[in-house]
Amino acid sequence: MAEKSVLDYLTKQNRPYSLNDIVNNLLNAFGKAVVQKAIDKLVQDGKIQEKVYGKQKVYLVDQSLFKEESPVELQAMDVKIEELEKSVKVSEVGFKEAQAQLKELSSSLTMEEALDQVSGLTKETSDLEAKYKKLSEMTVVVDPKERDTIRKKRELYFKEWRGRKRRCMDMLEAILENYPKSKSCLFEEIGVETDEDVNVCIPK
């Protein structure tokens, strides 16, 4: 079952893939060890080839299994490729224009949204004024030693926050090197929520 799936996929794509690529592109239908065993058997049977580039191994279908195209067929393929490339360029232009329009529309507020925003800001201002008045009427003396202790703890916690965030992002970047999709897809798939997603930033 795994051998057929691997061979069918590599035959359809007809391009080299690493072991991790094949496992991921088969949507993890088989474990890594099972896929490696299937690949080894296919290589042994001469159905796929193994290429080694330094420490990296890639696999592709034995090209001798494909029929040799005639000059007429190759010319027709070249024409088709050229047509597809033109179509892709036209689609890219349309996509960028649509993105620009969407960005412009997204940044615009409706009258109702604007009124809600004004109302929210008015309430927030009123709350802050009340808080300021209350604080200005209070006289609280903080012991210098306690203040220094609090400041040091604050710096320690923020330092730990930065370190954990950096280590986490380093691990994610390492995963992305062999991940076939975008960073946002990976984050969504494994349930990663960044500080930016919840509008939180590490104080300087």
Side-chain angles (χ1 to χ4, degrees), residues 40-93:
D40 293 340
K41 183 66 167 59
L42 291 168
V43 170
Q44 183 180 352
D45 293 344
K47 294 180 180 179
I48 66 174
Q49 297 177 331
E50 178 183 273
K51 302 289 184 181
V52 181
Y53 301 96
K55 295 182 179 180
Q56 180 74 20
K57 292 182 180 181
V58 295
Y59 305 92
L60 69 159
V61 172
D62 187 341
Q63 298 301 294
S64 65
L65 298 177
F66 293 96
K67 70 173 185 176
E68 186 174 350
E69 306 292 347
S70 68
V72 174
E73 290 173 321
L74 291 175
Q75 185 177 8
M77 289 180 184
D78 289 338
V79 171
K80 183 64 175 177
I81 290 172
E82 186 176 350
E83 291 175 351
L84 291 172
E85 287 177 343
K86 290 180 180 178
S87 177
V88 168
K89 288 180 180 179
V90 171
S91 298
E92 286 177 345
V93 171

Side-chain angles (χ1 to χ4, degrees), residues 47 52 60 62 125-126 153 168 181:
K47 294 180 180 179
V52 181
L60 69 159
D62 187 341
T125 301
S126 178
K153 285 184 177 181
C168 179
K181 301 178 184 177

Side-chain angles (χ1 to χ4, degrees), residues 161 192-201:
W161 184 355
V192 172
E193 187 175 67
T194 65
D195 293 338
E196 292 74 16
D197 290 337
V198 292
N199 296 320
V200 172
C201 62

Side-chain angles (χ1 to χ4, degrees), residues 115-195:
L115 290 173
D116 287 342
Q117 194 173 81
V118 170
S119 177
L121 290 172
T122 301
K123 184 180 184 304
E124 184 178 352
T125 301
S126 178
D127 292 342
L128 288 173
E129 287 176 346
K131 185 176 182 180
Y132 171 76
K133 183 179 179 181
K134 183 178 180 180
L135 289 174
S136 64
E137 294 173 350
M138 296 172 61
T139 303
V140 179
V141 178
V142 179
D143 182 83
K145 291 183 179 180
E146 183 179 356
R147 184 174 59 245
D148 289 341
T149 300
I150 294 172
R151 184 181 294 113
K152 288 179 181 178
K153 285 184 177 181
R154 177 181 182 275
E155 292 173 354
L156 177 64
Y157 295 152
F158 288 155
K159 181 179 180 181
E160 185 65 18
W161 184 355
R162 294 188 191 95
R164 292 189 180 190
K165 181 176 181 179
R166 184 179 63 255
R167 291 192 293 273
C168 179
M169 295 308 297
D170 288 345
M171 287 189 290
L172 291 170
E173 289 297 336
I175 294 172
L176 281 167
E177 290 181 2
N178 292 314
Y179 188 72
K181 301 178 184 177
S182 66
K183 180 186 289 186
S184 59
C185 289
L186 173 62
F187 284 14
E188 182 177 353
E189 183 175 334
I190 62 180
V192 172
E193 187 175 67
T194 65
D195 293 338

